[in-house]
Amino acid sequence: MPATVAVMLMTEKPPRIVEGVVLEQASDQLELALPEGSPMPRPGAMLVLEFPGSDQPREMATVLSVEGQKLRARVRIKHQDQRDAARLYAGIHLNYCVIPAGQPLDSAGWMAGGAAPGTLFRPDPYMNFSLTGLQFEDIERCAGGDNILFTLQLPKKSTLWRGVGKVVRIGVIPKGERESESQATHRIAMQFTELPEEARSALLDLTERMQNNWLRNTLP
């Protein structure tokens, strides 16, 4: 503490992402600070909170009060046995090229349509996604701090978007959790550093639809 948090304002159309900081967390309430000049939600607004680079699960919260650039919110869903349910998984077609940390990164050339400077790998499409990044499974092709050039295609979308990311975490998949038909040995968490607005909007739409469906089946 303090921890960085991506605050998704779900009452706006389309939902908007603001990066904030957790100032205090106790029981089911959190105090958050948003950057100066950021739009502040009103009491009663629904938020989705994500913690980039952390194992902390996505949380849904309701704004209780707002004072200046600070707000207090109550977490609506926070149960350890709902950890996986609170995450979102989908069939996402990802192709990625690893640029080891310290090596030159031509992100502008890649985003403009240039060729990948190395091999493009394609992991299993069933992966955890959020508005800030992806977690997918593959063999150990990268390390924390490496950069990634990637293409991304979302479910029921024909558009192939390009983006740039950074590996924030990589861990071994316990043997008992590995899929028998897959060669994947590691879980790789990548945070987006560059992503077209159209792709971000599509991710927002997918997140909202899946989260709302999950809420309808979970909350009383």
Side-chain angles (χ1 to χ4, degrees):
M1 206 72 68
T4 300
V5 58
V7 182
M8 284 152 278
L9 310 178
M10 302 304 291
T11 53
E12 298 197 18
K13 300 294 182 181
R16 179 165 26 188
I17 308 173
V18 178
E19 186 173 284
V21 173
V22 179
L23 300 177
E24 181 183 344
Q25 185 170 1
S27 184
D28 64 343
Q29 293 192 23
L30 301 94
E31 184 178 22
L32 310 176
L34 303 188
E36 194 68 32
S38 297
M40 299 299 293
R42 297 180 179 180
M46 187 172 73
L47 309 175
V48 177
L49 309 177
E50 293 186 349
F51 303 84
S54 168
D55 285 332
Q56 186 166 347
R58 174 184 289 113
E59 310 282 9
M60 296 207 66
T62 302
V63 177
L64 299 176
S65 61
V66 178
E67 182 177 350
Q69 293 301 125
K70 298 180 181 180
L71 65 86
R72 183 166 289 276
R74 174 178 288 117
V75 175
R76 296 179 58 187
I77 301 168
K78 190 176 182 181
H79 305 291
Q80 191 64 26
D81 60 357
Q82 291 179 337
R83 182 187 183 93
D84 289 335
R87 297 179 183 271
L88 296 177
Y89 290 83
I92 296 175
H93 294 294
L94 175 73
N95 293 279
Y96 72 99
C97 175
V98 179
I99 311 296
Q103 290 193 11
L105 174 66
D106 183 13
S107 57
W110 170 253
M111 296 300 288
T119 303
L120 282 168
F121 303 106
R122 186 166 189 169
D124 187 280
Y126 185 68
M127 64 185 69
N128 171 227
F129 76 95
S130 74
L131 301 178
T132 58
L134 303 172
Q135 179 176 280
F136 56 92
E137 297 183 354
D138 203 349
I139 63 174
E140 188 177 12
R141 304 186 190 276
C142 56
D146 288 350
N147 293 298
I148 286 183
L149 307 178
F150 65 87
T151 63
L152 183 72
Q153 186 177 10
L154 301 181
K156 299 182 180 180
K157 299 288 184 182
S158 59
T159 305
L160 194 67
W161 288 291
R162 290 186 174 219
V164 182
K166 183 177 289 291
V167 178
V168 295
R169 187 174 62 257
I170 179 169
V172 176
I173 304 172
K175 289 187 177 181
E177 298 179 15
R178 297 181 188 181
E179 299 292 337
S180 58
E181 66 275 13
S182 173
Q183 298 299 311
T185 56
H186 287 70
R187 292 191 177 104
I188 300 161
M190 174 187 71
Q191 184 174 351
F192 300 136
T193 56
E194 293 188 45
L195 194 68
E197 286 303 315
E198 294 83 358
R200 194 173 298 279
S201 177
L203 277 170
L204 284 166
D205 179 66
L206 180 60
T207 297
E208 185 177 35
R209 285 189 286 109
M210 293 185 69
Q211 193 74 66
N212 287 341
N213 287 340
W214 186 74
L215 280 174
R216 283 196 293 269
N217 294 327
T218 304
L219 294 180

